Amino acid sequence: MDAQGRGRADNIDPADQWVLNPATGEYELRLDPSPPQSAVPGQRRGAAPGPGGADSRRRGTPPGAEQAHETAPAPTVPGPRRRGAPGEEEPPPGRRSRRPEKKKRSRTKKVLMWTGGTMAFVLVGVGTAGYLIFKHLEGNVTTTDVGNAAKDSFSKDEAFNILIIGTDKRTGKGNEGYGDKGSVGHADTNILLHVSKDRTNATALSIPRDLIVDVPDCPTKQPDGSTKVVPGSHKVRFNESLGQDGRDPGCAMRTVKAITGISPDHFMMADFNAVKTLTSAVGGVEVCLKHAVNDKDSHLNLPAGSSKIEGEEALAFVRTRHSFGNHGDLDRIKVQQQFLSSLMRKMASGDTLTNPVKLYDLADAATKSLTVDTGIGKPSTLKDVALELKKVPTKNITFLTVPVLDNPDDGPVHKTVILNQAQAPQVFDTIGSDVSFTEVKKKEQQAKDAQAARLKGTRSAASEVRVRILNGGAKDGAAQETLTWLQNQQGVLKSENGSNAPEKLANTTLEYAPDQADQARELASLMGLPGAALKPGKSVTNSQGLPAMTLILGKDYKGAGVSLTAPKKAPKVEGQHTADTVQCAS
């Protein structure tokens, strides 16, 4: 029998199975029969059972209470109470009026402790759903060893990143008829969830499955314990980072790091059943449509306006793409983010949080659909993850999508996308620097860097800045990319590409003559250069015969428009919204 079945057997209220352990001071889920208890208040100490033995005990007395002695033993963990069955004799008249009130107070206290101390959400994919992880809900979670792609432990004191993957594998009852039923399980829906170190905010970054990427070589664990390296692939869809050629979730994690520079600490993966079971467990999720939808491919049929959906209908909603926007995956991502926001609001609502049976069903459904890395596979670790996630308010959870452009290699029919190099690096840098997209709290700037340097003294207008740009260890094409960005987006028109520097440098430098200090401050401000990058020296002569500064892009250079110091403010990304925002799909 599964955990849910055990929790409901013999009329036992699931809320009564969460009991206080005096030894640890925490509430624990207790499914087994309880040990002997201390005497029930009101029972005479030393009184022996009546002629009927155990069956004649006072109604409501836990098993073993009749064994209490004059001196009470050390406190023990109480066992679950049983609801009175039909036909049971009534308690003594003198106690009838007080028992219901006492039981109500006890039940309320347990529900508050349960929901307040052990519940939290974890965003999870396949159409982007969500999970609640309860401590001590054992036996449901599947683990996969991805080697050093994931951390071997979870830290409660640091910012952390979880790659959430929804596969298109048609496993589970009722899922055989969906589309590509022979799929090996690709990375169909992908969210990089970043939770800030101070737990005031989180960012959920959707990665399009049709993003063209280079998948790196990937060591994968085999059933016999050996390791097989799956060769990488050049210019393929991101969804092939999982499943294709035997790639495991660790391969998707390594691909995310190669794209964003951000290392996922752990992964969570789910299948189609997650959406169906979770939405049913909470009693349905409210969604909104700007126009009626009758999609023959997904079988979604909903009117315009608000609707409550669950089960198969919820899965159809998050799988639909031919009825929204431009009928592509990017518009489906927007719909999925709206759905997830609604599901999260429902999970955080009083209707869910004060219903112990609903919470239990939700946790059971969630964990049965979940696969995680071994670093967070233990119930105690999942509990820690849940409690940290619980600290983040839904109003401070930002959803956004990796900035992309249509892939020019596709020709007139756009099937895939590529990174928008003018915007994506800034988004990645903001997340990697643990800066909030909701501006919950301004980060303190402790170091003396360019932020302070460029506020002092005068600054030239961008149009007056003259600079030669050389590549001294940055990626190929960095000098031209930076020149284009400075001229087209920052108005630094008197700039030019000086090709490669004579030698490679570890750090980016900007050399300027004394009379160019104001130009140096302006360029440092535009590019986010640290104070250490500014190097007083001499000027050079540019192609127009005028004095110019020399900017050498070192190995630390992250890309055009990406600050080399921690950004104070996150960039605005088209379509970003927070989890507390109600939106209608269009």
Side-chain angles (χ1 to χ4, degrees):
M1 184 180 295
D2 60 19
Q4 182 176 351
R6 291 195 301 271
R8 292 180 174 176
D10 301 323
N11 293 323
I12 296 175
D13 188 340
D16 292 335
Q17 295 180 294
W18 288 85
V19 294
L20 181 65
N21 185 339
T24 63
E26 295 188 4
Y27 276 71
E28 298 179 349
L29 177 62
R30 197 170 177 88
L31 302 177
D32 300 324
S34 62
Q37 306 295 306
S38 57
V40 175
Q43 180 178 346
R44 295 194 317 274
R45 286 181 291 185
D55 292 337
S56 67
R57 291 193 299 267
R58 185 187 304 273
R59 297 294 178 184
T61 303
E66 71 280 8
Q67 299 175 9
H69 298 287
E70 180 88 13
T71 302
T76 56
V77 180
R81 296 193 303 273
R82 297 176 181 271
R83 295 193 183 104
E88 267 191 73
E89 68 180 67
E90 296 294 330
R95 295 177 59 86
R96 287 184 65 179
S97 63
R98 293 193 301 272
R99 282 172 59 92
E101 182 181 355
K102 181 178 180 180
K103 182 176 182 180
K104 182 178 180 181
R105 288 199 304 267
S106 176
R107 178 74 49 79
T108 301
K109 181 178 180 181
K110 285 186 179 181
V111 170
L112 290 175
M113 289 300 297
W114 184 17
T115 59
T118 62
M119 186 279 294
F121 64 85
V122 176
L123 308 178
V124 177
V126 175
T128 331
Y131 285 107
L132 290 175
I133 300 178
F134 287 73
K135 72 177 187 178
H136 298 305
L137 193 67
E138 300 179 0
N140 286 350
V141 182
T142 302
T143 61
T144 296
D145 186 355
V146 294
N148 62 7
K151 291 184 176 179
D152 57 8
S153 61
F154 174 73
S155 173
K156 294 187 286 186
D157 301 320
E158 299 294 334
F160 61 91
N161 306 302
I162 298 178
L163 178 61
I164 299 156
I165 306 171
T167 74
D168 59 359
K169 195 170 185 178
R170 273 59 172 165
T171 55
K173 183 179 180 181
N175 297 325
E176 302 86 355
Y178 293 122
D180 184 11
K181 58 185 178 181
S183 173
V184 295
H186 294 113
D188 196 51
T189 299
N190 312 278
I191 297 177
L192 180 61
L193 174 65
H194 171 80
V195 180
S196 70
K197 182 176 181 178
D198 60 14
R199 306 298 188 253
T200 62
N201 65 93
T203 303
L205 179 69
S206 291
I207 302 173
R209 68 173 191 178
D210 295 330
L211 176 66
I212 295 300
V213 300
D214 290 338
V215 178
D217 293 347
C218 179
T220 59
K221 296 283 185 177
Q222 302 300 303
D224 61 0
S226 63
T227 298
K228 175 185 176 182
V229 177
V230 179
S233 298
H234 182 57
K235 289 190 175 182
V236 296
R237 285 178 166 89
F238 179 86
N239 70 342
E240 292 188 21
S241 64
L242 175 68
Q244 193 74 19
D245 300 323
R247 294 187 177 109
D248 64 12
C251 300
M253 297 173 72
R254 297 174 196 275
T255 304
V256 168
K257 182 178 180 180
I259 298 169
T260 67
I262 302 168
S263 297
D265 300 311
H266 304 284
F267 83 88
M268 293 182 176
M269 183 171 66
D271 57 23
F272 280 4
N273 282 338
V275 177
K276 296 192 291 187
T277 57
L278 286 171
T279 52
S280 295
V282 297
V285 173
E286 293 285 343
V287 296
C288 179
L289 297 177
K290 288 187 177 179
H291 57 81
V293 170
N294 187 356
D295 193 293
K296 64 179 182 179
D297 294 311
S298 68
H299 306 296
L300 180 68
N301 188 355
L302 290 176
S306 297
S307 299
K308 180 180 285 188
I309 59 175
E310 64 176 279
E312 292 288 347
E313 195 169 41
L315 180 59
F317 183 85
V318 298
R319 292 186 65 245
T320 298
R321 68 173 180 173
H322 295 125
S323 297
F324 298 125
N326 294 323
H327 302 185
D329 191 53
L330 294 179
D331 288 296
R332 183 172 67 164
I333 286 175
K334 296 176 184 177
V335 174
Q336 291 172 347
Q337 291 177 346
Q338 294 165 16
F339 170 84
L340 178 54
S341 297
S342 181
L343 178 58
M344 289 170 56
R345 292 192 298 270
K346 183 61 178 288
M347 288 179 173
S349 69
D351 177 57
T352 301
L353 294 182
T354 58
N355 188 325
V357 176
K358 186 177 289 188
L359 281 171
Y360 187 88
D361 289 349
L362 187 55
D364 189 58
T367 52
K368 282 181 178 177
S369 303
L370 187 65
T371 299
V372 302
D373 58 273
T374 55
I376 57 174
K378 294 180 180 179
S380 59
T381 308
L382 287 175
K383 179 260 297 182
D384 291 338
V385 175
L387 292 178
E388 294 306 306
L389 287 165
K390 176 181 176 290
K391 298 176 182 177
V392 184
T394 54
K395 67 178 181 179
N396 294 337
I397 302 172
T398 303
F399 289 92
L400 63 156
T401 303
V402 171
V404 295
L405 301 170
D406 288 330
N407 186 2
D409 292 341
D410 286 343
V413 180
H414 300 301
K415 305 182 293 296
T416 59
V417 293
I418 59 174
L419 284 181
N420 182 337
Q421 294 293 349
Q423 297 180 10
Q426 299 175 62
V427 172
F428 301 153
D429 187 51
T430 299
I431 296 174
S433 299
D434 197 24
V435 173
S436 172
F437 278 83
T438 53
E439 299 180 12
V440 177
K441 181 179 178 183
K442 289 186 177 180
K443 305 295 180 181
E444 296 181 359
Q445 299 295 319
Q446 300 292 341
K448 294 283 186 178
D449 55 17
Q451 302 294 337
R454 61 178 173 253
L455 292 177
K456 297 178 180 180
T458 59
R459 282 165 44 179
S460 292
S463 60
E464 297 303 315
V465 173
R466 295 189 297 272
V467 60
R468 295 186 72 225
I469 307 167
L470 288 79
N471 191 333
K475 67 178 182 179
D476 291 344
Q480 182 59 44
E481 178 184 303
T482 302
L483 176 66
T484 301
W485 178 77
L486 285 173
Q487 290 183 339
N488 296 344
Q489 298 191 38
Q490 303 302 319
V492 184
L493 303 179
K494 298 176 181 179
S495 53
E496 62 184 34
N497 187 346
S499 190
N500 293 326
E503 57 183 357
K504 293 185 178 181
L505 303 178
N507 299 308
T508 297
T509 63
L510 175 62
E511 184 176 358
Y512 59 96
D515 61 348
Q516 296 172 320
D518 54 346
Q519 294 186 39
R521 281 190 287 268
E522 175 64 17
L523 189 60
S525 175
L526 295 174
M527 298 186 63
L529 300 179
L534 275 63
K535 181 181 177 182
K538 59 183 181 179
S539 63
V540 295
T541 302
N542 65 12
S543 57
Q544 283 79 41
L546 298 173
M549 300 180 292
T550 301
L551 174 66
I552 301 179
L553 307 178
K555 295 179 181 178
D556 64 337
Y557 192 62
K558 301 177 182 179
V562 181
S563 173
L564 289 181
T565 61
K568 283 186 175 181
K569 184 177 180 181
K572 291 295 182 182
V573 180
E574 182 181 358
Q576 75 178 62
H577 68 279
T578 52
D580 63 332
T581 305
V582 178
Q583 295 181 316
C584 292
S586 60

